[in-house]
Amino acid sequence: MAMTSDAAHSALLTDQYQLTMLQGYLEHGLDETAVFELFVRKLPKERNFLIAAGLAQFLSYVENLRFAPDDLEYLARCGFRPALVDYLASFRFTGDVHAMREGTIFFPDEPILRVTAPIAQGQLLETRAINLLHFQTVIASKAARMVLAAPGKQLVDFGLRRAHGAEAGLMAARASFLAGFAGTATVLAGQLWNVPTFGTMAHSFVEAHDDESAAFEHFALSNPENVTLILDTYDTEAAAHKTVALARKLAERGIRIRGVRLDSGDLAAHARRVRKILNDAALGEVRILASGGLDEFKLAELVAAGAPIDGFGVGTRLDASSDAPYLDCAYKLVAYAGKPRLKRSEGKSTWPGAKQVYRRYEGGRMARDEITLAGEASPDGEPIIECAMRGGRRVAPDETLAEIRGRAAGQLARLPPALGSLMPAPAYPVAIAPAVRELVKQWDREHPTGGAP
């Protein structure tokens, strides 16, 4: 069967072991309330912080999670037992969801999502929870580094064509915008979320003409409100001179050239030469944009060199987060039937109990966090995990991307300077509250040989 646009919304977009576990829970009467938390175990060495993203898509998934008749028929044919198929036929999520708001900076061990529900319901959400929140968090965190590396510059997501699939490219446009990008080349992101969309011209348009000047003129006449010309198909500086000549010709028709784009070679050197050519022709208002294999380090290098570049299009290395394409994250059971639960796996142990994170500030900057038990007060901190869904229903409408973007900008402004650097920094202090540690000791006393009787 061909892949359709509905596939991303199918209840079968999950791991098979979620369904086999549900079958086991149902057959053995495991139906008590469980608490699951999604967190990152450790930062990639290339990251000093992460930005939470993807919550809106997860909540939409939870609200609309239904098994269609053909889903149930397929599962029955696969050998799943009637009791499970009947359970899924009427599946509705009835639990609670707590989470960090999108755009919030967070650190290892801090839960960005907490699901409280009958264990089968909470279990079924695991795959898509990680899938949706993990990816957008990866991209938003990468984009934030670029925003910090090029302050005041216009950054645009150009990565759809290099993304790992259609949904990934679309979500990357959303995640990069909330982290501070000016917009995206992905048109659907504009329709869905009002993300500003940008576009210039392709080398192929120039190559399709026998004369580069003619290509520039034809493009300008077809797109008079958005004349941005690409200069490096052949000779960059020669194309800049052609741009000057065209600008005079277009002015007679009331059309102005808004920008030029550089996509190859020594971008700083080309930008300086092009800027001079344009300035000498009294075209100082024409903006210079650059693209081509850019990441935060290249952006920082160009900014430090004083390259006269007004904006950047960033593609592959953003949408694939090339230096840190994944996070060591997990969605784990931390409580069941009113008792704390944990893992003791080597290198993958977990902290038990439903948790809250309190953040302290000093001098307007983030100073330290403390992971406490949910409901445990902190005298001098700000709680950053909030209720997003109660009884299977959202407690508030989705925030706008503009609101999330504003939060992310505020968070980045309050980062300690070392964490905002591209270089590795000392770890941000995150303390585990005594009450959480006491739960571990309690569990160890009750289970001296692990989970064995």
Side-chain angles (χ1 to χ4, degrees), residues 3 6-7 26 65 81 89 118 142 179 225 230 245 254 275 281 291 320 346 381 390 439 446:
M3 177 81 168
D6 293 331
L26 294 173
L65 182 55
R81 294 172 181 170
K142 178 72 168 177
E225 300 302 318
I230 192 161
R275 183 76 272 162
S291 57
E346 186 177 348
R390 186 176 289 112
L439 280 188
E446 295 174 357

Side-chain angles (χ1 to χ4, degrees), residues 205-288:
F205 192 85
V206 177
E207 293 175 73
H209 289 74
D210 292 330
D211 178 78
E212 188 174 39
S213 293
F216 288 172
E217 182 173 4
H218 289 168
F219 182 83
L221 294 177
S222 295
N223 301 275
E225 300 302 318
N226 183 29
V227 183
T228 302
L229 307 175
I230 192 161
L231 300 188
D232 69 319
T233 306
Y234 306 116
D235 181 291
T236 300
E237 284 70 33
H241 286 292
K242 295 173 186 176
T243 300
V244 168
L246 177 63
R248 299 187 183 111
K249 188 175 182 180
L250 293 175
E252 297 173 0
R253 299 189 180 207
I255 300 172
R256 68 183 184 90
I257 296 175
R258 295 180 180 272
V260 295
R261 179 160 70 96
L262 313 176
D263 191 53
S264 60
D266 185 332
L267 294 175
H270 283 305
R272 291 189 185 95
R273 291 193 287 267
V274 169
R275 183 76 272 162
K276 184 176 187 310
I277 292 168
L278 295 173
N279 287 352
D280 288 348
L283 293 175
E285 77 281 1
V286 175
R287 303 174 74 248
I288 297 178

Side-chain angles (χ1 to χ4, degrees), residues 102 158 221 261 269 294 331 419 432:
E102 293 191 86
F158 274 13
L221 294 177
R261 179 160 70 96
L294 300 175
Y331 177 94
L419 296 185
I432 305 297

Side-chain angles (χ1 to χ4, degrees), residues 19-41:
L19 300 173
T20 58
M21 285 189 290
L22 261 62
Q23 187 160 272
Y25 290 148
L26 294 173
E27 292 185 355
H28 296 283
L30 293 167
D31 59 2
E32 298 282 351
T33 297
V35 181
F36 292 87
E37 290 181 342
L38 174 58
F39 60 95
V40 173
R41 292 189 179 98

Side-chain angles (χ1 to χ4, degrees), residues 52-245:
L55 179 63
Q57 283 68 47
F58 174 72
L59 295 177
S60 178
Y61 162 76
V62 173
E63 277 191 326
N64 295 290
L65 182 55
R66 307 286 188 274
F67 285 81
D70 57 344
D71 297 335
L72 301 171
E73 292 171 8
Y74 173 75
L75 293 176
R77 292 199 307 272
C78 289
F80 286 100
R81 294 172 181 170
L84 175 64
V85 175
D86 290 344
Y87 171 80
L88 296 178
S90 58
F91 183 90
R92 301 292 186 274
F93 180 76
T94 62
D96 301 341
V97 175
H98 292 74
M100 290 185 188
R101 289 191 178 191
E102 293 191 86
T104 300
I105 286 175
F106 72 98
F107 302 94
D109 289 329
E110 298 181 341
I112 63 170
L113 179 76
R114 184 171 80 236
V115 174
T116 306
I119 192 167
Q121 292 185 26
Q123 184 71 65
L124 187 58
L125 303 187
E126 176 187 15
T127 297
R128 202 69 168 124
I130 296 176
N131 178 250
L132 289 168
L133 276 76
H134 168 268
F135 178 73
Q136 285 200 59
T137 294
V138 166
I139 302 304
S141 303
K142 178 72 168 177
R145 284 167 60 84
M146 297 180 179
V147 170
L148 292 170
K153 301 293 186 180
Q154 182 186 68
L155 301 179
V156 178
D157 160 46
F158 274 13
L160 174 61
R161 67 187 68 183
R162 300 291 180 85
H164 296 171
E167 185 182 51
L170 182 60
M171 294 306 168
R174 181 183 186 274
S176 58
F177 181 70
L178 75 82
F181 268 47
T184 180
T186 302
V187 178
L188 184 56
Q191 182 189 48
L192 293 177
W193 305 302
N194 292 319
V195 177
T197 56
F198 296 83
T200 60
M201 69 184 300
H203 292 291
S204 56
F205 192 85
V206 177
E207 293 175 73
H209 289 74
D210 292 330
D211 178 78
E212 188 174 39
S213 293
F216 288 172
E217 182 173 4
H218 289 168
F219 182 83
L221 294 177
S222 295
N223 301 275
E225 300 302 318
N226 183 29
V227 183
T228 302
L229 307 175
I230 192 161
L231 300 188
D232 69 319
T233 306
Y234 306 116
D235 181 291
T236 300
E237 284 70 33
H241 286 292
K242 295 173 186 176
T243 300
V244 168

